[in-house]
Amino acid sequence: MTTEELAEAALAWLAAQPLSDDPDLYSGTAGIVVSFVEAHTHTADDRWADLAVAGARSLAMRVDALDHHSLYFGTTGIAVVLREIGERYDDAPLVAAADRGRDVVRAAFDGERWGEAYDLMGGNAGIGLGALRLGDPELALLAVEPYLHTSERTAYGITWENRVGLTARRHHISHGTLGIAYGLVAVGGATGRSDLVDLGLEAVADVVARNEEPDGFLVPHSDPAQVHPLLERYSLGWCHGPTGDAQVFRLLHEVTGQARWLELQDRCWHTVVTSGLPERLRPGFWDNNGRCCGTAGVLALASDRQVERGDDASFADRLVADLTDRATIDAAGARWSNREHRAAEPDLPPQPGWAMGNAGIVRELLRHDRIATGRDPAYAFAWPDQPVAT
């Protein structure tokens, strides 16, 4: 089975699933319809456009009434998807719904934040990124300017309380210092605010100083260590590991032009490719196929490196081969189950969404196929926290 055939089988399974009760970008309908847009651009088959628009219309009916306003879990991410699909398919009501969502987000701001989360996924940094995508730099600045007066000085730079009441300070892109830095640098760079860029660089300095791998880049999940029975001290994926760290360094190179960010990207990649993934070296080491915490997220970075750095396809091909081996393929299509080795039934039910499921995997498989066949490596929908590879 070719990569394209595997992706098409996964799309068949995805299309047969009912619309999620969860509307968000992380695991719900918003993240799924983005993959339908990707499929339409890749195949020119209008059924994927029809599914994308239908899903977006279901989101439009809910965009005014959500109680979470973040990029990944709430209104901001949904508004970004509505605008993308509305403009792409000339659907004015979807664009209007995106504008309503943006206005709901602005109205919910309390002067400093939108809730307990204060990070990229669930808080201000991600809302700033979403506001840029919605063409609203004023809202983007409103979101990230509070970081100027809420930072905490450390021995190495600065950081923030990532969630109200959380003692641990998390370091990486999804819920930690690097995600906030990404928002600061992206918004600062887009609006000419060098003070925001400089603040982001101070935050990055804090994380870089915590690197524990001499030839690579490996920073703990949090300090002091966040105690949780399912949480390991080190991760390798996009969310809390060098795969996501490298995306921050890609942005910093794009904004500053400084070569040191290329070196840090390479150090991250060295740690990833020498770690043993995607092999499951021990129970719990690499049990996720998805975009957030697993193999598809690593494939996204591998593809970025092929485009930007001229890497060969060997590691990307290895990741795709692993995804192929781990897929369940039958008459219903293809899908993936992640594992929780401590559970009585370790193979978890397959999920449709972006973060842990088919939607996130499909998007990376389609892009891999285009790169392998000399087609356009760009995504149809550029993710707000993944720089466009050029």
Side-chain angles (χ1 to χ4, degrees):
M1 176 176 280
T2 67
T3 304
E4 188 173 52
E5 289 169 341
L6 178 62
E8 288 175 349
L11 282 163
W13 181 86
L14 192 59
Q17 306 310 300
L19 278 178
S20 174
D21 290 334
D22 180 355
D24 69 30
L25 194 61
Y26 186 80
S27 57
T29 298
I32 293 168
V33 298
V34 166
S35 288
F36 291 149
V37 171
E38 196 74 39
H40 180 234
T41 302
H42 185 94
T43 67
D45 186 334
D46 285 342
R47 63 178 167 149
W48 304 121
D50 293 342
L51 284 169
V53 171
R57 287 174 178 163
S58 77
L59 293 172
M61 294 174 7
R62 304 180 62 181
V63 73
D64 307 287
L66 301 174
D67 57 6
H68 205 298
H69 303 292
S70 64
L71 177 64
Y72 274 95
F73 307 119
T75 312
T76 298
I78 293 167
V80 168
V81 171
L82 287 171
R83 178 172 291 280
E84 170 73 22
I85 294 177
E87 291 181 346
R88 180 178 292 269
Y89 298 117
D90 195 23
D91 191 312
L94 292 183
V95 176
D99 291 342
R100 293 200 313 273
R102 177 202 60 205
D103 293 343
V104 165
V105 173
R106 180 182 280 105
F109 184 56
D110 72 0
E112 182 174 284
R113 59 176 73 202
W114 280 265
E116 291 188 354
Y118 203 46
D119 53 25
L120 187 149
M121 278 194 145
N124 291 46
I127 291 172
L129 294 175
L132 287 182
R133 289 292 296 272
L134 291 167
D136 193 336
E138 290 183 3
L139 178 58
L141 288 169
L142 194 73
V144 302
E145 284 178 334
Y147 290 119
L148 288 163
H149 64 263
T150 55
S151 63
E152 302 171 353
R153 180 64 55 184
T154 73
Y156 314 113
I158 57 170
T159 190
W160 289 268
E161 181 185 53
N162 314 127
R163 178 175 289 275
V164 173
L166 182 68
T167 302
R169 296 296 179 259
R170 295 181 283 196
H171 303 311
H172 300 279
I173 190 170
S174 61
H175 295 300
T177 303
L178 284 183
I180 294 173
Y182 193 110
L184 286 164
V185 172
V187 174
T191 59
R193 286 286 299 273
S194 60
D195 58 333
L196 297 175
V197 175
D198 290 344
L199 190 70
L201 292 173
E202 280 194 87
V204 172
D206 177 78
V207 179
V208 170
R210 299 175 190 272
N211 176 37
E212 297 182 5
E213 193 166 276
D215 297 323
F217 194 82
L218 190 65
V219 171
H221 174 278
S222 50
D223 290 300
Q226 186 177 346
V227 179
H228 188 286
L230 302 182
L231 189 64
E232 295 196 0
R233 179 73 169 144
Y234 303 94
S235 301
L236 293 162
W238 171 83
C239 49
H240 292 287
T243 301
D245 301 345
Q247 297 292 358
V248 180
F249 300 143
R250 289 182 61 230
L251 175 71
L252 290 170
H253 181 256
E254 178 183 299
V255 171
T256 70
Q258 295 173 352
R260 62 177 170 142
W261 306 119
L262 295 176
E263 179 189 355
L264 281 164
Q265 289 176 46
D266 290 343
R267 291 169 70 98
C268 289
W269 193 235
H270 173 81
T271 294
V272 169
V273 300
T274 60
S275 67
L277 72 80
E279 299 299 323
R280 295 180 175 174
L281 301 180
R282 55 179 170 78
F285 170 71
W286 197 252
D287 285 351
N288 193 306
N289 301 297
R291 176 60 175 79
C292 178
C293 315
T295 304
V298 180
L299 179 58
L301 180 59
S303 297
D304 289 332
R305 289 186 61 88
Q306 285 182 264
V307 175
E308 290 184 339
R309 310 299 299 281
D311 285 12
D312 65 41
S314 56
F315 198 75
D317 288 345
R318 182 180 173 192
L319 298 171
V320 171
D322 184 78
L323 287 169
T324 304
D325 289 344
R326 300 195 189 286
T328 297
I329 304 172
D330 56 24
R335 63 269 189 204
W336 287 265
S337 295
N338 298 319
R339 284 181 65 83
E340 174 42 71
H341 68 282
R342 290 159 286 209
E345 296 291 337
D347 286 327
L348 303 174
Q351 300 294 319
W354 172 84
M356 307 292 182
N358 270 38
I361 296 171
V362 160
R363 193 164 167 269
E364 304 309 333
L365 290 175
L366 290 172
R367 185 191 187 203
H368 175 77
D369 178 73
R370 290 197 298 277
I371 292 172
T373 56
R375 298 169 63 187
D376 187 353
Y379 294 107
F381 172 91
W383 217 252
D385 51 44
Q386 183 180 356
V388 174
T390 57

